[in-house]
Amino acid sequence: GLMGEHLNGILEYIGNFAEDPVPELYPLVAEAVSLPENEIYTAINHKWWKNLELGLVTKDELLNGRFKEFFDAVSIDCPDVEAFRQQYQAELGINFSLIEHALEVCEHLKTLGFGQYVVTNGVSKTQRTKLSLSGIDALMDDLFISEELGSPKPNKTFFDECFNRISLHNDEFKP
């Protein structure tokens, strides 16, 4: 899948950094995520994000837990999962692709006066980097990142905060 290919590319890219805390790990992981294993990562990652939405895990548990589970599943001994995750998140923020015509659609909607918002459970620093580098952030009226709001979507508290902030800037908005 696309995420698996994305992960494989990130891991190969990470493997080129000599200053990595565990550089010997990355070529092993890049090899491990070839076809069947990248599907394993995709399934594990999806499960962890779903469990966050269901309130079964915290964001902190998710961030490293998905990698620990993946490394166990493909028999990789990772001496520093946190260091790996930090490098992964940094690369994820700068390695992205927009859906074809996404920017043009957002620009057109902006000219028509439609409010546009980002709503995500993603890691704040990663999401803000992607949005800034893509130019999407300049077209959005607000960004709602669960990490910053203190509650993950689809939690009612998360959406209550989104609706409150939207209504502050738009008298016509009725949730």
Side-chain angles (χ1 to χ4, degrees):
L2 183 59
M3 183 57 195
E5 291 170 23
H6 182 68
L7 176 66
N8 197 16
I10 288 171
L11 295 172
E12 287 175 11
Y13 185 73
I14 289 171
N16 294 325
F17 285 97
E19 67 273 13
D20 279 347
V22 281
E24 69 281 359
L25 169 68
Y26 302 120
L28 289 173
V29 177
E31 183 180 329
V33 295
S34 60
L35 285 171
E37 286 83 358
N38 72 25
E39 292 173 12
I40 293 170
Y41 174 76
T42 300
I44 289 169
N45 188 50
H46 178 77
K47 178 187 81 174
W48 278 88
W49 283 102
K50 189 67 170 168
N51 284 342
L52 176 71
E53 289 177 1
L54 296 172
L56 301 176
V57 297
T58 65
K59 183 76 158 276
D60 287 339
E61 291 169 331
L62 173 150
L63 292 175
N64 287 340
R66 61 188 171 162
F67 291 119
K68 287 178 188 172
E69 185 176 338
F70 171 69
F71 292 144
D72 288 346
V74 295
S75 302
I76 291 177
D77 180 27
C78 180
D80 192 343
V81 173
E82 175 62 17
F84 176 85
R85 184 203 58 81
Q86 287 179 10
Q87 186 65 49
Y88 173 83
Q89 289 299 150
E91 295 304 319
L92 195 58
I94 60 174
N95 289 290
F96 62 89
S97 60
L98 288 175
I99 295 171
E100 189 175 358
H101 305 297
L103 202 55
E104 293 88 349
V105 168
C106 290
E107 289 169 343
H108 184 66
L109 290 172
K110 186 82 168 175
T111 65
L112 296 176
F114 285 96
Q116 298 179 88
Y117 305 91
V118 171
V119 178
T120 180
N121 275 335
V123 175
S124 179
K125 184 176 180 182
T126 304
Q127 298 304 315
R128 287 189 175 278
T129 300
K130 282 183 193 184
L131 292 164
S132 175
L133 292 175
S134 69
I136 295 283
D137 64 336
L139 300 170
M140 296 296 113
D141 293 288
D142 208 342
L143 309 176
F144 300 107
I145 303 173
S146 63
E147 189 175 292
E148 297 172 6
L149 296 183
S151 178
K153 64 180 181 82
N155 188 303
K156 183 180 182 317
T157 305
F158 175 87
F159 286 106
D160 285 346
E161 179 61 22
C162 294
F163 295 148
N164 285 339
R165 282 178 33 188
I166 292 169
S167 64
L168 288 175
H169 305 289
N170 184 342
D171 294 334
E172 296 175 20
F173 177 76
K174 304 285 184 256

